[in-house]
Amino acid sequence: MSDPSDLAIVRLDAEGFARHRAALAEILVDCVAGNASIGFVWPFERADALVYWDGLVEPVASGAVRLFGAFQNDALVGTVQLHIAGKANQPHRAEVAKVLVPRQHRRSGIGRALMLAAEDEARRLGRWHLLLDTARGGGAESLYENLGWIPFGTCPDYALNPDGTFIDTVYYWKRLTL
């Protein structure tokens, strides 16, 4: 269990992203090993995680994806992404993605702190309409709803859990005050 009093949320620029690449991979591997429905299936190894993170190098460097890390005692203990909508008709919108907290650190306020950092960044960018999706029954629904996110639909059998079982996906939106 983590102590949220010594938690620091930091936006990772291209240099910070590169410096923490290995730790990001370890977090992703832990989440997939815990059967989190975040886009991957078993078997999933460190090399697979590194390939995923390497695919975000350019979007993070360009600012299209804002990557945040949660640090405790200089150790990375969670991450979240804010994807900035790039379409001309969506200058007000962004999506929250990959709220990742290793199993040993869950339910300690890290996910909440990461979400609040993503929301603050969206406000700073003038992005007041946010979207996200999550696995139904996966544990994150209460976090999002406690933060004021509104569910607007569920798609049955939308994706697979890492173990190959089907999972429903719940979609959420939130309107921020700027």
Side-chain angles (χ1 to χ4, degrees):
M1 185 68 74
S2 301
D3 176 9
S5 66
D6 61 356
L7 187 67
I9 307 297
V10 177
R11 179 172 168 213
L12 300 176
D13 59 11
E15 182 182 314
F17 181 32
R19 188 170 52 253
H20 297 290
R21 177 178 174 260
L24 289 163
E26 294 306 319
I27 289 172
L28 183 55
V29 167
D30 180 81
C31 290
V32 175
N35 210 36
S37 181
I38 51 176
F40 306 98
V41 296
W42 298 332
F44 187 82
E45 298 178 6
R46 187 173 189 277
D48 302 310
L50 290 170
V51 168
Y52 168 76
W53 288 113
D54 288 347
L56 284 176
V57 169
E58 190 282 323
V60 168
S62 73
V65 172
R66 306 299 169 102
L67 178 65
F68 292 88
F71 292 87
Q72 273 184 326
N73 303 319
D74 297 322
L76 187 65
V77 294
T79 184
V80 67
Q81 300 168 29
L82 182 69
H83 293 239
I84 310 305
K87 296 179 180 162
N89 69 341
Q90 298 173 15
H92 61 295
R93 197 175 69 70
E95 293 183 29
V96 174
K98 300 287 188 277
V99 181
L100 304 175
V101 177
R103 291 172 285 178
Q104 72 186 50
H105 295 288
R106 291 189 186 154
R107 302 217 177 269
S108 64
I110 294 170
R112 178 181 179 80
L114 287 164
M115 287 297 295
L116 293 174
E119 290 179 15
D120 286 346
E121 180 72 0
R123 277 188 199 89
R124 192 182 73 70
L125 297 169
R127 304 295 174 133
W128 49 266
H129 188 85
L130 300 182
L131 299 169
L132 65 77
D133 65 78
T134 193
R136 178 197 252 170
E141 293 164 289
S142 62
L143 168 66
Y144 303 139
E145 290 174 18
N146 287 335
L147 288 170
W149 287 76
I150 301 166
F152 68 91
T154 301
C155 183
D157 298 334
Y158 181 77
L160 295 175
N161 280 314
D163 67 5
T165 58
F166 282 98
I167 189 77
D168 300 346
T169 295
V170 182
Y171 295 89
Y172 286 87
W173 69 275
K174 185 171 184 178
R175 184 174 301 232
L176 303 175
T177 54
L178 298 180

